[in-house]
Amino acid sequence: MKRSRVLDEILDVIIILIGTFIYTAGLYFFIEPQNMAPGGVSGIALIINFITGLPVGMLSAVLNVPLLLIGFRFVGKDFLWKTLVSVGSFTVFYDYILSGLPVYKGEALLSCLFGGVLWGIGIGLVFMRSGSTGGTDILIKMIHQKWPHFQLGKVTFATDAVIILTSIFVFRSLESGLYAIITIFVCTQIMDVVLYSGDRGKLVYVFSDKTPEISAQIMDVLDRGTTFLKGEGGYTGEDRKVLLCAVRRSEYYQVKRLVYGIDPQAFLIVTDSAEVMGEGFRPPEH
């Protein structure tokens, strides 16, 4: 393994741990004290904790085990081991490092805002390094690989809605559900800012002598289609291939790392895309 690859993986682990800690802090200090369960496996863990008193971190790890075992067949090893790092560190942070520290029990709206901000920053950092915090992220990844046309936003919304509705009955508070919705909204907005300032998508143009290798890696690692455009050097007059690829905002960082991992001399042009429709993205509207 090349030295640069080892350093990249060490950096991945460090940032994933930092992101997971921030995410855990938002959940521990602001969200749990207000009896909110804003979706995902962590939301289910909070509900079970309220009923049984079992540790949230341990519950989250147990709930993630079947998803990780199933996901082993469908998601890449890189994605899986980084998810394991996040899931494992979440348990340690929540049940041991933060356990016993004083939490915020003041204004619920402030808890929503600060909890959502920390949650969004943490998850955004983990996503930036090609990982996830587990839970429904693994499910979404598997669904995307099997049914690229499926609108994954609806899957996320449906699972979160079921968890929030359940929390309303368990906590016996309509307000807890409403505040959970605010937390999710804040979290997603902050994630967009962390990942790429809330842009809808990215168009990446790659100028390199190694575009075939880069194209193969993008299709293999990210499962994204690529297109070769015919170009001509303005100075040299030589024919060359220009690689074009449309990706989600959270995938751009992975594309950049793949490109420069193959060709450090590559030239990239990245533009914002307000809307991307077609295979792997949102279906065309009729």
Side-chain angles (χ1 to χ4, degrees):
M1 184 180 290
K2 294 183 178 179
R3 180 181 175 84
S4 60
R5 176 62 178 167
V6 173
L7 293 175
D8 279 344
E9 292 195 352
I10 292 174
L11 183 61
D12 286 343
V13 171
I14 292 172
I15 294 179
I16 288 172
L17 289 174
I18 292 172
T20 303
F21 181 80
I22 295 172
Y23 158 74
T24 307
L27 207 65
Y28 179 83
F29 290 113
F30 297 102
I31 295 175
E32 182 187 2
Q34 299 293 342
N35 287 337
M36 290 186 289
V41 164
S42 57
I44 299 174
L46 289 173
I47 292 173
I48 298 175
N49 166 264
F50 182 81
I51 298 171
T52 66
L54 293 172
V56 172
M58 182 200 72
L59 288 169
S60 178
V62 170
L63 292 169
N64 270 297
V65 167
L67 290 171
L68 288 167
L69 291 175
I70 296 172
F72 183 77
R73 294 183 54 195
F74 297 93
V75 301
K77 292 181 180 179
D78 190 61
F79 177 86
L80 195 63
W81 78 259
K82 290 176 182 178
T83 300
L84 281 169
V85 170
S86 182
V87 171
S89 60
F90 173 83
T91 302
V92 174
F93 291 149
Y94 207 104
D95 290 348
Y96 299 99
I97 294 179
L98 297 180
S99 180
L101 294 179
V103 298
Y104 179 75
K105 295 183 179 180
E107 177 59 46
L109 184 58
L110 288 177
S111 292
C112 290
L113 296 176
F114 282 93
V117 167
L118 291 176
W119 210 11
I121 292 173
I123 295 176
L125 289 174
V126 174
F127 280 7
M128 279 175 59
R129 307 311 293 189
S130 308
S132 84
T133 54
T136 53
D137 296 335
I138 302 172
L139 177 64
I140 289 170
K141 182 84 171 178
M142 290 188 292
I143 291 175
H144 170 67
Q145 290 196 359
K146 191 168 182 61
W147 299 289
H149 296 286
F150 206 86
Q151 296 183 28
L152 301 181
K154 291 184 177 180
V155 177
T156 305
F157 174 79
T159 55
D160 288 345
V162 170
I163 294 169
I164 291 172
L165 287 173
T166 302
S167 72
I168 291 174
F169 288 102
V170 172
F171 298 142
R172 297 183 180 180
S173 171
L174 176 62
E175 286 77 11
S176 68
L178 297 177
Y179 283 130
I181 293 172
I182 295 174
T183 302
I184 291 174
F185 176 78
V186 173
C187 173
T188 55
Q189 296 303 307
I190 296 300
M191 279 178 59
D192 285 345
V193 173
V194 171
L195 290 170
Y196 219 101
S197 301
D199 296 319
R200 296 292 181 180
K202 295 291 175 185
L203 285 180
V204 183
Y205 297 85
V206 183
F207 299 81
S208 168
D209 294 327
K210 299 180 179 180
T211 49
E213 295 96 319
I214 294 171
S215 172
Q217 279 292 296
I218 290 175
M219 289 188 289
D220 181 53
V221 176
L222 296 179
D223 195 26
R224 287 294 181 197
T226 60
T227 300
F228 287 112
L229 306 177
K230 292 183 178 180
E232 180 181 337
Y235 179 75
T236 63
E238 296 178 353
D239 292 335
R240 65 185 309 168
K241 292 180 179 179
V242 179
L243 178 65
L244 170 65
C245 183
V247 296
R248 297 187 185 280
R249 55 190 178 276
S250 59
E251 294 172 332
Y252 164 65
Y253 292 92
Q254 299 176 60
V255 171
K256 185 169 69 172
R257 293 175 67 195
L258 286 175
V259 170
Y260 286 114
I262 295 173
D263 183 7
Q265 305 302 318
F267 188 82
L268 259 64
I269 297 177
V270 184
T271 63
D272 296 338
S273 178
E275 192 172 30
V276 182
M277 292 184 290
E279 183 176 353
F281 295 91
R282 199 177 75 180
E285 297 176 354
H286 298 288

